[in-house]
């Protein structure tokens, strides 16, 4: 089968669109097309006409003809199938099937013909495939444009922040120049300059010319504060606190300005009590922190590929006199928990009595003021298991493609062992122009276009909501795009269930007051 040309002509034989698939001169194809209307009989049912050299396979389209010119050795059935496919494509690209509409969409029709016929032979394609090929949409190109746009937006944000910082530095510099110029002169020179000043009885100006530019600054300062006594009195600007000394002349000068109706802002130096009050005072003399970090890798089809929990018990002491102590603990009886004490801890005492104390009983524990703010590590432990029942939160993701959309259903199931707080489930998405269409959700959601992720947030998971689901819709995408899913949460209970029973003083007396903090946090929690 060889198709010589595919054309759309008028009833009179005028060629509107013609695509040749073999070497053929313009005069020859125009002659073949012009001769076709004369060969078509009236009232005949067949849709082909043969001459000595070629065969015409045609189909009327309103006032036009869709025509295939083939050689006589071609398969007529294949020609009819090609003609039927082209007749479906023409209305897809041309809404008005007349001469003007065909001419407007001539190039689109030629591109479509090229996808159906290659070198005179029909390609095994459908109408939907031809449209997709002609649209030439590229996922990589869209992703590149989104990344480029995000970089441009990020650069704009950085530019705005830098411009704001420059403006603030200029304002601070101007304030420093206006309010701090007196620091360049010694106290003796300031007092000598005030000794040469004379306050006039009529206007509050300065009569002497030797004031180091002080008259201009004080006048502008006073004029700025007229009519706004409350704002000036409650919020003095930084850098304008000019210390004029504590001499009698200075006081008289300020009193005279006050008598004339000017508002004087006096600079009050910060006291040591104000700076100390910003730091919250310590609460308990002894604080013990139990922290476990969980690393879990779940399989998307179910099962656990990695489960690792690492825990630490740290001690923080505020006062040195409370350092001579021992800590008695208890934990869940489980052979899978591997404990490891600090090298300075008495291991035999811990093994026999579950008491953490230093090998040298006369040596106190270090205080938190000189050491790490988080405290001193006393004990470490590790739990490794592949039992899925120990996993505090399981995630199931079900993507399914339907037509031009991908429906993604995600559900979580939480273990009854823990009450999880601040749960965030981050689902990666394909590159999107707009946010996904979230149809149903138990909780809140947020779309991050830069990272192309959808964050599902649940404030608290307890006995009232051990399971929940979310459903959203995105354009067609492969199911692997939505993995790996990352999860973050915290809990006030740990796997080891380690508790501090008592703090024992070594020198007698009442035990110091202590507090215990317990938390479970995620370090790397993923569904792959």
């Amino acid at each position: 089968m060889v198709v010589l040309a595919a054309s759309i002509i008028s009833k009179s034989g005028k060629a509107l669109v013609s695509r040749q698939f073999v070497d053929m001169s313009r005069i020859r194809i125009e002659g073949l097309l012009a001769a076709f209307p004369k060969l078509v009989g009236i009232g005949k049912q067949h849709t082909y006409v043969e001459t000595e050299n070629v065969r015409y396979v045609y189909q009327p389209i309103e006032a036009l003809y869709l025509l295939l010119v083939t050689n006589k050795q071609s398969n007529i059935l294949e020609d009819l199938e090609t003609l039927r496919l082209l007749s479906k494509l023409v209305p897809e690209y041309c809404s008005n099937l007349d001469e003007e509409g065909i001419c407007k969409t001539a190039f689109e029709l030629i591109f479509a013909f090229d996808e159906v016929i290659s070198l005179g032979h029909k390609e095994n394609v459908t109408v939907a495939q031809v449209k997709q090929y002609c649209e030439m949409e590229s996922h990589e190109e869209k992703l590149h444009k989104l990344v480029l746009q995000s970089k441009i937006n990020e650069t704009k944000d950085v530019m705005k922040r830098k411009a704001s910082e420059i403006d603030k530095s200029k304002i601070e510099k101007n304030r420093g120049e206006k309010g701090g110029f007196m620091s360049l002169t010694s106290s003796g020179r300031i007092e000598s300059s005030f000794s040469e000043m004379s306050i006039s009885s009529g206007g509050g100006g300065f009569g002497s010319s030797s004031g180091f530019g002080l008259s201009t600054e004080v006048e502008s300062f006073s004029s700025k504060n007229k009519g706004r006594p409350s704002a000036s009195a409650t919020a003095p600007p930084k850098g304008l606190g000019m210390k004029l000394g504590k001499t009698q002349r200075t006081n008289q000068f300020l009193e005279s300005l006050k008598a004339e109706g000017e508002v004087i802002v006096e600079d009050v130096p910060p006291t040591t009590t104000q700076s100390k009050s910003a730091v919250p005072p310590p609460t308990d003399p002894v604080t013990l922190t139990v922290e476990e970090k969980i690393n879990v890798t779940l399989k998307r089809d179910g099962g656990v590929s990695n489960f690792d929990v690492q825990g630490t018990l740290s001690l923080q002491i505020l006062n040195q006199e409370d350092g001579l102590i021992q800590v008695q603990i208890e934990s869940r009886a489980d052979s899978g928990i591997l404990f490891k004490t600090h090298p300075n801890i008495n291991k035999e005492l811990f093994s026999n009595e579950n008491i953490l104390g230093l090998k040298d009983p006369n040596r106190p524990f270090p205080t938190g003021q000189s050491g790490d703010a988080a405290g001193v590590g006393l004990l470490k432990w590790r739990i490794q298991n592949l039992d899925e029942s120990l996993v505090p939160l399981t995630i199931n993701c079900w993507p399914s493609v339907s037509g031009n959309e991908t429906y993604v259903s995600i559900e979580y199931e939480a273990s009854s062992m823990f009450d999880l707080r601040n749960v965030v489930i981050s689902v990666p998405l394909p590159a999107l122009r707009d946010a996904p269409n979230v149809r149903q959700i138990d909780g809140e959601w947020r779309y991050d276009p830069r990272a192309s992720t959808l964050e599902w947030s649940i404030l608290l998971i307890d006995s009232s909501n051990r399971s929940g689901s979310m459903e959203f819709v995105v354009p067609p995408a492969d199911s692997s795009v939505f993995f790996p899913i990352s999860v973050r949460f915290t809990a006030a209970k740990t796997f080891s269930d380690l508790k501090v029973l008592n703090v024992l003083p070594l020198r007698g007396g009442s035990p110091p007051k202590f507090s215990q903090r317990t938390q479970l946090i995620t370090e790397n929690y993923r569904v792959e």
Side-chain angles (χ1 to χ4, degrees), residues 184-199:
L184 301 175
T185 62
S186 64
S187 60
R189 294 180 64 186
I190 293 174
E191 291 183 0
S192 64
S193 66
F194 274 108
S195 65
E196 297 175 0
M197 296 178 186
S198 61
I199 302 170

Side-chain angles (χ1 to χ4, degrees), residues 139 399-401 405-406 429-430 474-482:
H139 176 72
S400 60
V401 179
E405 293 179 328
T406 299
L429 300 178
V474 295
D478 188 73
S479 60
S480 61
V481 174
F482 305 101

Side-chain angles (χ1 to χ4, degrees), residues 28-286:
R28 174 164 170 74
I29 186 62
E30 287 182 347
L32 291 173
L33 296 178
F36 170 72
K38 302 174 184 177
L39 300 175
V40 177
I42 301 175
K44 294 183 180 180
Q45 297 296 324
H46 56 77
T47 57
Y48 71 94
V49 176
E50 290 187 356
T51 63
E52 295 181 0
N53 299 320
V54 297
R55 177 188 295 146
Y56 298 96
V57 184
Y58 65 94
Q59 178 176 333
I61 304 178
E62 296 186 3
L64 307 174
Y65 283 116
L66 175 61
L67 177 65
L68 291 182
V69 182
T70 69
N71 57 14
K72 297 183 69 174
Q73 290 77 29
S74 67
N75 189 334
I76 185 65
L77 296 178
E78 292 289 340
D79 296 339
L80 291 173
E81 184 65 27
T82 304
L83 183 67
R84 187 178 299 109
L85 180 59
L86 293 180
S87 65
K88 294 179 181 178
L89 280 174
V90 171
E92 293 288 338
Y93 291 95
C94 182
S95 56
N96 298 325
L97 296 176
D98 52 13
E99 292 189 15
E100 184 179 358
I102 295 294
C103 292
K104 282 184 178 180
T105 58
F107 286 102
E108 287 80 0
L109 292 172
I110 289 175
F111 294 151
F113 289 174
D114 283 344
E115 296 295 336
V116 176
I117 304 172
S118 176
L119 299 176
H121 299 277
K122 178 181 178 297
E123 296 287 341
N124 188 18
V125 293
T126 62
V127 175
Q129 289 175 332
V130 171
K131 291 184 66 177
Q132 184 180 0
Y133 297 155
C134 291
E135 286 174 359
M136 295 185 292
E137 289 190 357
S138 171
H139 176 72
E140 289 77 9
E141 181 183 4
K142 289 182 178 179
L143 184 62
H144 174 72
K145 289 182 178 179
L146 287 174
V147 171
L148 185 62
Q149 186 62 38
S150 66
K151 290 182 178 179
I152 293 174
N153 295 335
E154 187 175 354
T155 305
K156 289 181 179 179
D157 294 339
V158 172
M159 179 184 66
K160 290 179 181 179
R161 288 198 300 269
K162 291 294 183 182
S164 178
E165 291 176 1
I166 292 172
D167 293 340
K168 288 181 180 179
S169 63
K170 287 181 179 180
I171 293 173
E172 293 293 336
K173 184 178 179 182
N174 293 335
R175 286 178 177 175
E177 289 177 354
K178 290 182 179 181
F181 74 97
M182 295 299 290
S183 62
L184 301 175
T185 62
S186 64
S187 60
R189 294 180 64 186
I190 293 174
E191 291 183 0
S192 64
S193 66
F194 274 108
S195 65
E196 297 175 0
M197 296 178 186
S198 61
I199 302 170
S200 62
S201 59
F206 297 94
S208 176
S209 61
S210 58
F212 305 103
L214 185 61
S215 61
T216 305
E217 294 296 330
V218 174
E219 286 174 2
S220 62
F221 177 76
S222 302
S223 62
K224 288 178 182 177
N225 289 286
K226 285 183 179 180
R228 295 187 301 167
S230 60
S232 301
T234 56
K238 292 183 179 180
L240 292 181
M242 183 175 61
K243 295 190 70 173
L244 301 177
K246 300 299 181 181
T247 62
Q248 186 177 0
R249 287 182 185 145
T250 305
N251 293 335
Q252 292 177 355
F253 167 66
L254 294 176
E255 291 296 333
S256 62
L257 283 179
K258 290 179 181 179
E260 293 174 3
E262 300 293 342
V263 179
I264 303 301
V265 180
E266 296 184 1
D267 211 16
V268 180
T271 60
T272 56
T273 57
Q274 292 176 343
S275 60
K276 288 182 179 179
S277 64
V279 181
T283 55
D284 296 315
V286 178

